[in-house]
Amino acid sequence: MAHRKHTEKTSHGNQHKKEIFSLVGPLFLWMVLFLALPLIYVIVISFLEKGTYGGVRAIFTLENYTALWNPTYGKVIWRSIVLAFWTSLICLLISYPFSFILSRISKKYQGFCVLLIMLPFWINQLIRLNGWSNILRDSGIINTFLLKLGIISEPIMMMYTDGATLFGMVYALFPFMVLPLNNSISKLDYSLIEAAHDLGASRISTFFRVILPLTLPGIFAGTIQVFIPSLDAFYIADVMGGGNSTLLGNLIKDQFMAARNWPSGAAFSVILILFTLLVLKLYTKVGNLEDLA
């Protein structure tokens, strides 16, 4: 009898393991084939030499990483970080009041409003950015209108600058800030805000001591979702900056496609990955501190 129970228990355990493997196995295989292996390949070739006509040679070197100390590359990396910071800050300043207004709309219409936010982004971003390019260029609608009114005597340079690239970044990444902020603000307990007012707190004090701390998870989540893509959105810099705003993403693309220096491009990619992991670690740490508080 005991042997039979042991056999049934073992059989049940094996069946349970098979079910787990059938669920986890495909995901594990997908992660290995399409995430781990490409990542390992990029890391490996970042330590190899460039081939004579492109590609790589199986010769170990650290030159690809020592070259990162080149002041020219340092300026590009620093400009990318600064632009990503300003993109995140502007998106936050625009999205925060916008999300507050959205959260106060009736639940019946909130879904429709979110759909209106996402609707333009169902169209390819390159098409939309080229549309803005036609509007902002020297011969675009804005300059033509201002010239006809006599407000300006010559076209205003709005395209192919860092400002145009920043505008494109904010325009492209705005929804990634709105959605987590709206989710966080929608969960606000307004009884706490009323209690703060009853205790004599001003609107500004209530915002900084009650509302802001409660919505920090949405702020952090939105900032991460905007900041990280801003670092490598090379297509935005190409369209809006016209090659005058070289960012880290452009540098990686040019190393692979133009210079055909795969090891150098891989080294820049590894640096970008490490920086992304550092930002995510910081986000997790700050999130844990908020939970403890």
Side-chain angles (χ1 to χ4, degrees):
M1 186 70 176
H3 177 71
R4 182 180 177 183
K5 287 183 177 180
H6 177 73
T7 303
E8 290 178 352
K9 186 176 181 181
T10 303
S11 177
H12 180 72
N14 291 335
Q15 182 66 26
H16 184 62
K17 289 179 181 178
K18 289 180 180 179
E19 291 177 357
I20 293 176
F21 181 78
S22 65
L23 294 173
V24 178
L27 178 60
F28 176 77
L29 186 62
W30 178 275
M31 295 290 285
V32 169
L33 290 177
F34 298 103
L35 181 62
L37 289 180
L39 183 58
I40 292 171
Y41 177 71
V42 169
I43 293 172
V44 169
I45 68 172
S46 71
F47 290 101
L48 302 180
E49 284 190 358
K50 174 190 174 185
T52 306
Y53 303 103
V56 296
R57 292 193 298 176
I59 301 175
F60 178 83
T61 179
L62 293 174
E63 186 178 337
N64 302 311
Y65 286 96
T66 56
L68 298 177
W69 295 101
N70 186 314
T72 302
Y73 293 154
K75 289 179 181 178
V76 172
I77 294 172
W78 177 246
R79 185 190 297 134
S80 302
I81 294 173
V82 170
L83 187 63
F85 168 79
W86 283 111
T87 301
S88 303
L89 181 62
I90 294 173
C91 281
L92 177 61
L93 293 177
I94 296 173
S95 301
Y96 205 94
F98 185 88
S99 299
F100 246 108
I101 295 171
L102 186 61
S103 68
R104 302 298 288 179
I105 296 175
S106 171
K107 296 289 184 182
K108 182 180 178 181
Y109 300 106
Q110 270 192 28
F112 178 71
C113 291
V114 172
L115 177 64
L116 291 179
I117 296 171
M118 299 304 299
L119 194 59
F121 295 86
W122 292 357
I123 304 171
N124 186 277
Q125 282 194 4
L126 284 175
I127 296 175
R128 290 185 284 110
L129 288 173
N130 276 297
W132 276 110
S133 175
N134 291 328
I135 294 172
L136 299 175
R137 66 177 52 185
D138 291 355
S139 58
I141 297 172
I142 296 177
N143 274 315
T144 301
F145 182 71
L146 293 177
L147 285 168
K148 285 186 176 181
L149 290 179
I151 298 175
I152 58 175
S153 57
E154 59 182 22
I156 301 172
M157 184 66 177
M158 291 183 283
M159 284 294 296
Y160 312 131
T161 62
D162 286 345
T165 303
L166 179 61
F167 173 81
M169 292 283 191
V170 172
Y171 170 71
L173 300 172
F174 171 72
F176 296 99
M177 181 69 77
V178 169
L179 296 179
L181 269 178
N182 180 58
N183 182 56
S184 185
I185 292 173
S186 297
K187 296 177 181 178
L188 274 176
D189 186 355
Y190 284 92
S191 63
L192 296 176
I193 300 174
E194 293 175 1
H197 288 315
D198 291 341
L199 292 172
S202 64
R203 290 180 178 272
I204 296 176
S205 179
T206 300
F207 175 77
F208 283 105
R209 301 187 66 178
V210 179
I211 298 175
L212 188 62
L214 291 175
T215 56
L216 277 179
I219 293 174
F220 287 134
T223 302
I224 292 296
Q225 291 184 44
V226 171
F227 185 86
I228 292 176
S230 299
L231 293 173
D232 60 351
F234 63 88
Y235 60 95
I236 298 177
D238 283 345
V239 175
M240 304 299 289
N244 295 323
S245 298
T246 302
L247 303 179
L248 183 55
N250 301 90
L251 200 57
I252 294 172
K253 182 201 71 171
D254 291 341
Q255 291 297 317
F256 276 106
M257 305 298 292
R260 297 190 63 79
N261 191 342
W262 292 12
S264 179
F268 282 114
S269 300
V270 171
I271 294 300
L272 178 59
I273 292 169
L274 291 176
F275 185 77
T276 300
L277 293 175
L278 178 65
V279 173
L280 290 175
K281 180 65 177 178
L282 180 63
Y283 166 66
T284 305
K285 200 173 187 70
V286 172
N288 290 337
L289 289 176
E290 288 300 320
D291 291 339
L292 290 174

